[in-house]
Each structure stands twice: as structure tokens, then as C-alpha cells.
Amino acid sequence: MTSEDIARPKSEAHAEGAGGGHEHGHGGVLGPNTEVIFALASGGALSLGFALEKLAAGVPDWGPLALYLIAYGFGGLFTVREAFENLRQKRFEIDTLMLVAAAGAAALGAWAEGALLLFLFSIGHALENYAMGRARRAIEALAELAPRTAHVRRDGQVVELPVEDLRVGDTVVVRPNERLPADGFIVEGTTSINQAPVTGESMPVDKQPVADAAAARARPAQVGPASLVFAGTINGAGAIEIETTRKSSDTTLAKVVRMVSEAETQKSPTQRFTDRFERIFVPLVLALAFVLLFAWVVVDEPFRDSFYRSMAVLVAASPCALAIATPSAVLSGVARAARAGVLIKGGAPLENLGSLNAIAFDKTGTLTEGRPRITEVVPVRGTREADLLATAIAVERLSDHPLAEAIVRDGAERLGDTGLEAATDLKSLTGKGVTAELGGETIWIGKPEMFGADGVAALGDEATAVVVQLRLQGRTLMVVRRGARDLGVIGLLDTPRAAARTTLTALRALGVQRMIMISGDHQKAAQAIAGQVGLTEAWGDLMPEDKVDAIKRLRADGKIAMVGDGVNDAPAMATATVGIAMGAAGSDVALETADVALMSDDLSQLPFTIGLSRRTRGIIRQNLYVSLGVVAFLVPATILGLGIGPAVALHEGSTLLVVINALRLLGYRDPAGDRTPNEIPVARQGAPADSRIPS
């Protein structure tokens, strides 16, 4: 997928979405800046005509008039085109109002005022479009990160092909310092890769080949982060070969660009309010202008003056700045977040993030590393430790749950290289544990609550005593039973993230009032982790459906965000005001389910994102004050005699002011600079540069 392919849907939608139908993205015979050139030509003709009329003696009247007509032509061309298009679609908008006002001025013989109106309106919109284009280009630059060609092994040779011709399963050769052309996993070579373009991570990430290419090919979603690579990232000093897992149109980068593009058209609560306001306000303005047409009946003045005042009010009350105030800020905020590896899907989550009352955190993989380790292996009487571990490993090899991986990894280290039986027929008991068949017997492995419920026999006294003892130490427990005999208990402990405590401190400094950890682990285990990361609230023993109920209770007290991995926590995230997925790069489920996706597995992106949202809300409020304030001043001022020229100058000035104010978001940095996610590098290509235990 080329950058043009990715960007085109967004650009088309944007003409009506983010700008609310008030943007002039016009090119023409003189290129993309045609409207600016025409506006300047209009200003030049207007200035020359005014100079001839006021300063030159003996100049015939048709001279200045001809120049004013030229100014009308250059200044009104795009306005006429836009007004015609709006009327054809049965829309009556700002362009039509301006055109009516200019025509009214001409009908009164006020050619200079009409030309000035069209000049200021056209130059204002041309500059507005230029400024808004800067925010759009910040997003479209994402699409330029992926190279256009790739070096692929085909028939024993390395050939250069367009990325659109890559197939799933192709082997791509990536040289040092090149950008990666596709998503995939490394099959040859070691290197470090700068993943900032996708994840926002500040440091390059070490990468190595997969241990088993056939297994990775069969289950690409289970490839570990140490071997997983993304299109658009930058290779380090080592040459590598990767096997592609997605077409160019389906890469993580392409999905991010598409989703950010779609996010631009999603209206925020403030924007929906302004839309409703405009639907009421515009008819009122038209009614007021119509009434003012007949002011001469009540006030002793000629019809010409009443008509001129009516046209001036039309100009002054047109809510152009109001229409662009919110979408310009949302667009800039979404673009800035995308540059830092944070995907925000529209104005609603962007605004809601800035007004959160509480944040709920999943434990495993969010506040902790998600890599639990075995701390205790306690067999019950009559069972050897080796038999307990061998049984657990044989079953857990069939599972991809993080706890299962820990048992297999650490258990194999403890047990050594010995022959193990092969388990079969693994079945998952959601939120509780698993069963499998081994040596003709049924094996049960899971949390202690699984035993003594739903027809499963209760634990014996000895196993129960071990469970009580280990729980007091805050361990996550896995009980192993073979047939009708309890074999023992395995205790595991997850490691808190290094950034967890500082991140929570930063969130408190941003004004987040309440933070809660929710987990499927036992309450003691949840409290143990919470104490290590600095949380005062920890809710344990929660099944997946219990997490949803917990979020509902919290949401009753105000806006709540749920931070999780986007997979096991998808229902709770969907219930929250804002769902935030950690480490979403390469995860289709996380990208689809979350309102906000932190592309890297980096908790420190969260304060940056919430800080950006709060700044965005502040700028939106500033823009609304400016746009409504100018209208509130200009309407009575024009009724009392302020001319069209000054009204247009103030009107268009306020429009530019709100856009420029919104563009400040593109340079937003977290006040605590060490927590600011890395921005997308601008280096050129080739330049250095089983859902069992809810967690």
C-alpha cells in the first residue's frame, strides 16, 4: 500500500468531516497554492483600484471599477465554486453568506467594500487551509515511513519488488540502516531496531530469530516481541531476513494510518454541541438579517444603509471560527499522539481522557511485566516435586497463557532435561483453569477456587493448608490434581513494571483522583502488587464478568478509563468511558477494541497521553471563547454601524487565530520530559538513524 493509497480516503472524508464543510482544499492551474495566489491577486487589484480612486486625479471612473471587478473575480472564484457546490447539495453555509454580502455591496455600488470582503475571506480561508494542512501532513507522514520497494528471495535470488507485490510467507532481506518494508518475524540474523515510528519507544529494541520458524509460521500471533518486526521501523547495524506475515495493506503501520485518518472524522462531544448550536444559530442570523433589511421603515435612513447593515451582520455572525475551533484542535491532538506512538480514535476519547475521574488498571501485563516466575513448588504428602512439575509441564505445554508459559519455562529449568509424557485433549475452563488427559487420567490445573465447584471435588486438607500459607505471601497459585489425588501447589509471582510507580505518581500530578487495580488473582496477591507500585486500591478474585460489573460501578461515579491488553480485558474496556490498550503494535484485537492504543508496551506513555488530552481540552475551550466572543462583539457592532471591511478582518482573524492556537498541540511535550515518548524520526531510508485466570 502506497502513502497515496493510505492517505486518500482520509483526505476525501476530511473535506467534510474535520472541517465541518468549511475548508477550501483547492488546487488549480497554478498548483496546490492556486487559491493563495488568486487571493493575493485580488488584494493587489483591490489596492491598485483604491489608490487610483483616491489618489490619482483625472482617472476615469471605469479604471478603478475595472480593477475592483478583477478583485471580485480573483477573490470570488473559489467562493462561488464552493457556494454552488453547497447549494447543489442543499447546504446553506458561510461561503453562500459571504457571496450574498459581496453581491449586495456591488448592488449598492460599494465595489471597494465588496472586493475587500472577498479578498479577506479568500486569503483567510487559503491561509486556514495551509495551516490545517500542516496538521494533516503530520499524519500523512506516517504513510511515508514504509519503503516503496523490498528485497525479496525468489527462486534462489534476491530481487527488488514493489511492497504491493509482497506475499505472506515471503522472505525479505533487510540491510543495515534500512527501513523494514513489511510486518513479520526474523528468521535470520540479529540486530536492534528503532521501533519509534510505530510504538514511540525511545530506545532501539534488540531482535533475534525465532527458535522454530515452522511454529511461528503456524501461529504468528504467538511470536514473541524479541522476534516480531513492523513495517516502517528502522533496522540497526545487523543484516536480517524476515518472513512476512501480512500484506502491505494490512501492516500495523497501514492500520494505524487508516485508523488515525478515520479518527479525524469522529466528532467530539464539544463538536457535536457546536453543530447543534450552528443549526439553531444560523437560521436566527438569517432572520435577523432579513429584519434589518427593513430597518429603513422604522429608522429614518435610506434603504441602501439598511441593506448594507444587513449584509455586514451576515458576515459578522457567520460562525466560521466556531465551526473550525474544535476539529482543528482534535486533528492536531490526534496527529501529535500518533507521532508519539499513541493511537487515539477520534475526538470523543481525546476529550474524555482529559476529564477522567478514575483509572482502572489490569494487573498482569499492565502494572506488571506479564512474565510471572515460579517462586514455590510445594508437593503434598506422597508426591515428589519432580512428579508435580512433570505433570504440570506436560499439560501447560498445550496452553499459551502467561502462567502456563512460566510453569513450562521455570519448571523445565528446575526439572532438567528429562523425558516427559505428552498430554492431550486440553480444555479451558474460563477464568478458572484447564483440564487435560495424561496417561489415561484426567489432570486438573487451576486456581484453588476451581476445586469444590461445578462438580469438581474439593481440595484435601493438606493442599488447602498450603494454599492458605502461600496466599498470605501474595502468591498467584496453581493447584495440580491427577485423577482424584492432589499433587501439590505451584506459587508464582509477577514482577511490577519498573515504570509503574513513577507513572502512577505522574498521573496523580495530572489530577487523576482515583486509581484502582483489578485482577483475577486472589485478593492477597493483588494487594501485594498494589503495595509495590504505590496503589491503595486493589480488587482481586474477579472473573471476566466481574470486571465488567466493577467498571460499571466505577462509571456511576464519573468518567473511568480501563487500561489493559485489549484481549482478555476487551469487555471491561468496552464498558469504560475510555478503553486503553497497552502494547497494541501487531495486535489486531487491541487495535480494534481500544479507544486509545499505546503502541509500545510502555506504561509511561499514559501520562503523556492524558496530559495531551487535557491540553487539547484547554485549547478547545480557548477557541470557543475566542470564536463566540468575536461573534458576540461583531453582531451588535455591525448593527450599530461597523462596516463590512472591519467586520471581515476581525471575523477572518478569529478563524486564523483558533487554527494557529490549535496547531500549538503539534509541539506538545510532557512537562516531565523524561516521560515524553519518542517522536517519529525523520531519517531517510538508508540513513542511520487460554483465558483462564483473568488478569
Side-chain angles (χ1 to χ4, degrees), residues 339-513:
R339 280 169 44 199
V342 179
L343 172 59
I344 301 178
K345 297 183 182 178
L350 180 62
E351 282 199 44
N352 287 331
L353 270 176
S355 58
L356 292 174
N357 301 103
I359 302 178
F361 294 89
D362 169 45
K363 180 179 76 68
T364 305
T366 303
L367 292 175
T368 65
E369 296 288 352
R371 289 180 57 84
R373 67 182 189 276
I374 292 179
T375 55
E376 292 89 12
V377 179
V378 184
V380 299
R381 188 177 305 169
T383 303
R384 296 186 305 128
E385 180 177 319
D387 293 337
L388 171 59
L389 285 174
T391 302
I393 293 171
V395 173
E396 298 291 27
R397 276 180 171 174
L398 304 178
S399 172
D400 56 6
H401 191 278
L403 293 177
E405 294 176 359
I407 289 175
V408 173
R409 180 189 67 244
D410 296 351
E413 290 182 2
R414 287 173 176 247
L415 197 58
D417 188 15
T418 60
L420 296 174
E421 296 180 84
T424 59
D425 196 22
L426 182 78
K427 296 178 182 178
S428 175
L429 306 176
T430 302
K432 297 179 180 180
V434 295
T435 67
E437 296 298 320
L438 180 66
E441 293 182 288
T442 300
I443 309 298
W444 305 79
I445 302 180
K447 60 197 303 185
E449 287 75 15
M450 179 176 73
F451 300 89
D454 299 327
V456 182
L459 293 175
D461 293 341
E462 189 174 352
T464 301
V466 173
V467 167
V468 172
Q469 179 186 0
L470 293 180
R471 272 190 171 162
L472 291 174
Q473 302 175 36
R475 300 297 190 256
T476 296
L477 305 181
M478 303 286 282
V479 179
V480 183
R481 171 181 289 172
R482 183 164 187 159
R485 183 166 60 95
D486 298 334
L487 297 184
V489 183
I490 299 175
L492 302 101
L493 182 67
D494 206 349
T495 305
R497 289 180 180 268
R501 181 176 286 274
T502 56
T503 296
L504 297 176
T505 301
L507 291 173
R508 290 190 185 94
L510 286 169
V512 179
Q513 302 168 5

Side-chain angles (χ1 to χ4, degrees), residues 2 111 204 257 259 282 310 425 456 481 508 535 564 593 595 658 673:
T2 65
W111 293 99
V257 175
M259 289 180 177
V282 170
S310 176
D425 196 22
V456 182
R481 171 181 289 172
R508 290 190 185 94
L535 281 178
T593 59
D595 300 306
V658 300

Side-chain angles (χ1 to χ4, degrees), residues 46 173 537:
L46 170 63
V173 178
E537 287 189 77

Side-chain angles (χ1 to χ4, degrees), residues 584-596:
S587 171
D588 293 338
V589 176
L591 286 175
E592 294 293 340
T593 59
D595 300 306
V596 177

Side-chain angles (χ1 to χ4, degrees), residues 187-348:
V187 294
E188 190 72 35
T190 59
T191 188
S192 61
I193 292 180
N194 184 344
Q195 299 188 150
V198 173
T199 68
E201 291 169 283
S202 59
M203 299 295 293
V205 180
D206 292 336
K207 299 289 183 177
Q208 62 188 25
V210 293
D212 187 341
R217 193 175 300 119
R219 303 175 70 182
Q222 303 302 323
V223 175
S227 303
L228 199 63
V229 295
F230 309 107
T233 56
I234 306 168
N235 188 22
I240 56 174
E241 295 185 10
I242 66 173
E243 182 170 318
T244 61
T245 55
R246 290 189 175 106
K247 296 180 180 179
S248 62
S249 59
D250 296 327
T251 64
T252 299
L253 180 63
K255 289 177 181 177
V256 169
V257 175
R258 264 199 307 271
M259 289 180 177
V260 172
S261 302
E262 292 166 2
E264 298 174 39
T265 64
Q266 304 300 315
K267 294 185 177 181
S268 71
T270 303
Q271 193 173 350
R272 289 194 294 269
F273 164 76
T274 57
D275 288 347
R276 292 194 299 269
F277 178 81
E278 286 179 47
R279 284 196 293 268
I280 299 172
F281 183 69
V282 170
L284 291 177
V285 170
L286 294 174
L288 176 61
F290 180 78
V291 170
L292 290 174
L293 279 175
F294 299 96
W296 61 274
V297 177
V298 180
V299 181
D300 186 15
E301 67 178 11
F303 172 75
R304 170 193 176 95
D305 292 347
S306 296
F307 187 84
Y308 185 89
R309 183 186 296 109
S310 176
M311 295 300 101
V313 168
L314 275 182
V315 173
S318 297
C320 195
L322 180 65
I324 205 69
T326 303
S328 60
V330 168
L331 174 59
S332 298
V334 169
R336 176 64 186 96
R339 280 169 44 199
V342 179
L343 172 59
I344 301 178
K345 297 183 182 178

